[in-house]
Amino acid sequence: MAPSVPVARVQLEYPLYCADFNPEDPGYLVVAGGGGESKSGVKNKITLLDTSSQTHLVAIADVELSQSEDNVTSLAAQVNSKGALTIFAGINSSSTATINEHFRSFIATCSAAGSTATEARAKIEPIAKASLFTPSGLETYQRITRLSPLSPEPPRTRRLGAIATGLASQGEIIIFDSTKEKVENSQIHGRISLGKSQEAADLDIIENTEQKFLVAYCTDYEIIVHTLAEDKPCKTETLYIQPHPDAFIQSIDRPRFRALRWLAPEIILVLNNLNSRGGAELLVLLLPNRGLANVISQRRLHSDMKAAIGLEISKLSSSAQSEEMQFIIAVPGQNNAIEVLALDYSTTSGIGSFKTYTILKALHPAPMTQIALSGLFPPSPPNNSPHHVKLASVSTGNLVLVHTLCLQKYQPKSKGKEPRYVLCRPGTGLLAQASSILAILAIILVAFALQAFLEIRGSSPPYLGAVEYFTPGIRNLPNVPQNPIPADVSRPDGLLEILASPQGRGNLIHVGQNEEGMLDTAAHEDEDKLLQSGSKRWEDLGAHEKEGWKKKLTEAGQWAGDEAETVFKGVFFGQLAGIVAQAMGG
């Protein structure tokens, strides 16, 4: 049964194209969009929403933008050194302008979320605008605006941002210092030229343990990582190339990369759209020291999602030193649904398996444009309210939805580990799961083989019916000695063992003595020969003969005195030498 997910909503007056949470307070959400440069009367705006309630949203501030310019196409938010919210946005200049100042900066100041804040106490103000792309044509727009993740622990002085072009004759990615509200060419740390007619489908940034920033971006068929270090030149490497479905037919269209996110400095989560709207899938790539990355996990998304439009993650870890953590993954589709998954990660055992938490369906009446996930921020003491992560989605239908994903406290089984919060109960890693499955399969195969062996020997009821699947030669194989004896020749064997074996089924059993006076038990097929030899069935023996044979069988360890004599019914017994001698002497 799918979990119940609380949802709050608000209807604004303009179509929405982008959204981002305050990275240090999930009680604030920035959304933006508009009607663009048109005479439709639909305004271009950026709005700050109070999302602290699980049941309703409140617009506490907005800024109305020029209607002679384009609408907001992308944005990202961060908290500056003074505690205010800096908003970087992509807004194209007027079509009549000579320079396209597409990069805009805004400052949002507000009181604590959940208070009775009013627009007088919360406001959004423009700070600066700049033209960073080269060349920046009027048709080129800022399709992607992305910031490196907020470090969970101070100092938080290092942070980079990146923007990417859309509709450019030659695609470009700009990497800049995002700690400054006014970004100029002097704050640019790198430019990545993508080539003619090439565009970045998505990009993401992470800082590794060596204090290097890794900028990963994907085109339709390639994933490239750009490394920035203060003391070394920048390095760019292609880490993964989308393989052809059929290596011998290059004309078959390959799946296309749609989005990516860093999970760790050596692990990337990638979203694939299959060709011909055949669905979407998630890949987990492990980056080696050299060469191309390897796919270590793969998950096909629900069948109703014919194509995905984005990917967002939230890391459920409050410390940079955490060895175990869980990621919340949200994937929106063109069907206006969002699949929410959880993925466990450990620095020792690696990636776990994907677990679907829920699928939120039929969310918007108009096409969904973007989603955003907040981070994990525990309530301030002494507030012991449940921990949660918020999931926002916006659409061209002017609608904002914010779902609240409630977390649960999880205590690791290992001693000494602190409890942590998760969306789904963690499972075992892929390697441990594979080992467990192989061990279980091995046990099952051994159990089947043993049961079949026992059935063939007649030592077990036919639960599997194994006897029916083997030829008589194979069925008798466990009972055949090293030097087989013809069927008409008796051979020493235990009476009860022969009675219970396949050899004793449908055959006549004869018990006699060899020249040395030892018991000789064997199966026979010819009753006439047995009768001609003087042998009798058990029920035809006299009382003194039965007592003699019971004594002989008891001494040989082939019959216990307390066992029922009915087991001997139908068995042929030869002449017992001692009894014959007594009869002749009498």
Side-chain angles (χ1 to χ4, degrees):
M1 182 176 178
S4 176
V5 182
V7 60
R9 66 186 66 223
V10 66
Q11 190 83 23
L12 301 180
E13 59 181 5
Y14 59 95
L16 299 158
Y17 297 103
C18 41
D20 197 17
F21 279 99
N22 180 330
E24 298 188 23
D25 187 348
Y28 292 114
L29 174 70
V30 182
V31 297
E37 185 180 359
S38 68
K39 298 180 180 180
S40 64
V42 179
K43 297 178 180 179
N44 299 319
K45 280 189 173 185
I46 298 176
T47 302
L48 181 64
L49 299 173
D50 180 347
T51 62
S52 56
S53 171
Q54 295 187 14
T55 58
H56 63 275
L57 306 175
V58 179
I60 59 174
D62 63 27
V63 58
E64 186 172 329
L65 308 173
S66 172
Q67 287 188 267
S68 64
E69 296 185 325
D70 203 357
N71 57 270
V72 183
T73 55
S74 64
L75 66 80
Q78 70 174 22
V79 177
N80 64 18
S81 58
K82 298 179 181 179
L85 192 64
T86 302
I87 303 168
F88 298 112
I91 305 172
N92 267 19
S93 297
S94 170
S95 58
T96 60
T98 56
I99 299 176
N100 183 9
E101 295 176 305
H102 57 86
F103 188 85
R104 311 293 175 96
S105 302
F106 299 83
I107 285 287
T109 55
C110 51
S111 57
S115 67
T116 57
T118 63
E119 291 190 11
R121 299 172 60 188
K123 59 182 179 180
I124 304 174
E125 298 177 301
I127 298 176
K129 53 186 177 179
S131 177
L132 302 182
F133 293 136
T134 54
S136 181
L138 295 177
E139 294 298 323
T140 300
Y141 71 101
Q142 192 172 308
R143 182 174 173 273
I144 300 172
T145 304
R146 187 81 183 160
L147 302 177
S148 61
L150 179 68
S151 174
E153 297 176 357
R156 297 169 175 171
T157 56
R158 288 166 50 87
R159 200 170 185 191
L160 291 185
I163 57 175
T165 58
L167 298 180
S169 58
Q170 181 167 328
E172 188 177 29
I173 296 174
I174 305 294
I175 305 168
F176 61 92
D177 181 357
S178 65
T179 60
K180 306 290 192 302
E181 286 84 6
K182 297 181 180 180
V183 178
E184 300 175 351
N185 285 309
S186 59
Q187 276 89 52
I188 292 178
H189 285 229
R191 294 178 181 272
I192 304 173
S193 178
L194 304 182
K196 188 175 182 180
S197 301
Q198 286 285 329
E199 297 283 2
D202 196 16
L203 64 84
D204 197 24
I205 312 170
I206 196 171
E207 185 177 7
N208 64 14
T209 55
E210 300 174 355
Q211 295 187 334
K212 297 178 181 178
F213 282 98
L214 307 177
V215 180
Y217 65 93
C218 59
T219 61
D220 285 344
Y221 304 117
E222 293 185 343
I223 295 176
I224 299 105
V225 173
H226 190 76
T227 305
L228 290 93
E230 294 182 359
D231 57 340
K232 294 181 180 179
C234 296
K235 181 176 65 173
T236 302
E237 297 178 284
T238 299
L239 288 184
Y240 191 77
I241 300 174
Q242 193 77 263
H244 283 273
D246 190 329
F248 298 98
I249 307 177
Q250 300 292 318
S251 60
I252 297 178
D253 194 14
R254 293 177 281 175
R256 295 172 184 265
F257 294 125
R258 181 60 185 84
L260 58 77
R261 290 292 180 266
W262 287 103
L263 299 182
E266 69 283 354
I267 299 176
I268 299 179
L269 177 67
V270 182
L271 175 64
N272 255 355
N273 274 334
L274 305 182
N275 60 327
S276 303
R277 292 179 56 82
E281 63 181 0
L282 291 170
L283 306 178
V284 179
L285 302 182
L286 177 64
L287 278 60
N289 293 328
R290 289 185 177 181
L292 297 178
N294 300 312
V295 177
I296 60 173
S297 184
Q298 190 170 0
R299 173 62 175 263
R300 184 74 175 265
L301 299 175
H302 67 281
S303 58
D304 291 340
M305 186 180 292
K306 303 304 180 183
I309 63 173
L311 169 68
E312 291 297 338
I313 66 170
S314 181
K315 181 180 178 182
L316 300 183
S317 172
S318 58
S319 171
Q321 284 74 41
S322 298
E323 295 182 354
E324 295 180 347
M325 66 197 73
Q326 189 174 92
F327 290 93
I328 298 177
I329 302 168
V331 183
Q334 289 184 351
N335 59 341
N336 283 338
I338 301 175
E339 184 166 353
V340 181
L341 307 96
L343 181 65
D344 294 303
Y345 172 70
S346 169
T347 56
T348 55
S349 58
I351 290 292
S353 57
F354 289 99
K355 293 179 282 291
T356 295
Y357 175 72
T358 188
I359 300 174
L360 305 171
K361 297 183 177 180
L363 298 178
H364 293 266
M368 186 163 39
T369 50
Q370 192 173 8
I371 65 170
L373 273 170
S374 72
L376 171 62
F377 295 93
S380 301
N383 187 350
N384 293 320
S385 60
H387 290 53
H388 56 261
V389 167
K390 292 184 179 292
L391 168 63
S393 59
V394 297
S395 69
T396 57
N398 309 355
L399 181 62
V400 183
L401 298 179
V402 176
H403 290 80
T404 300
L405 306 176
C406 296
L407 308 179
Q408 53 182 312
K409 195 173 186 178
Y410 171 70
Q411 177 62 59
K413 296 180 181 179
S414 303
K415 293 182 179 180
K417 291 189 176 182
E418 295 293 328
R420 55 190 177 92
Y421 286 88
V422 297
L423 184 65
C424 299
R425 300 289 293 181
T428 55
L430 292 177
L431 183 59
Q433 287 183 13
S435 301
S436 300
I437 292 172
L438 289 175
I440 292 171
L441 289 176
I443 293 172
I444 293 174
L445 289 175
V446 170
F448 268 91
L450 180 60
Q451 177 64 27
F453 178 76
L454 292 175
E455 289 184 19
I456 291 173
R457 290 185 62 88
S459 302
S460 173
Y463 296 116
L464 302 178
V467 175
E468 301 175 3
Y469 296 98
F470 296 96
T471 63
I474 298 295
R475 290 200 300 266
N476 295 331
L477 187 60
N479 293 314
V480 176
Q482 294 295 329
N483 297 308
I485 302 174
D488 290 336
V489 180
S490 64
R491 63 176 179 84
D493 207 342
L495 172 61
L496 298 181
E497 185 177 359
I498 285 187
L499 288 173
S501 70
Q503 193 177 16
R505 297 171 189 168
N507 292 319
L508 302 173
I509 307 301
H510 178 263
V511 181
Q513 288 181 291
N514 58 22
E515 296 178 354
E516 299 176 355
M518 304 295 293
L519 289 181
D520 186 4
T521 306
H524 286 264
E525 297 178 355
D526 194 335
E527 183 177 356
D528 292 337
K529 286 185 178 181
L530 291 175
L531 293 173
Q532 291 173 8
S533 67
S535 299
K536 301 178 183 178
R537 295 182 184 273
W538 173 261
E539 51 268 30
D540 297 331
L541 294 176
H544 64 287
E545 292 177 308
K546 290 182 178 180
E547 290 299 322
W549 274 113
K550 285 194 291 185
K551 181 179 179 181
K552 194 72 175 177
L553 290 168
T554 302
E555 291 174 353
Q558 296 189 24
W559 184 70
D562 56 352
E563 290 179 315
E565 297 180 14
T566 54
V567 298
F568 300 143
K569 187 175 181 180
V571 176
F572 281 84
F573 286 84
Q575 295 182 358
L576 198 57
I579 296 176
V580 173
Q582 291 176 12
M584 292 178 65

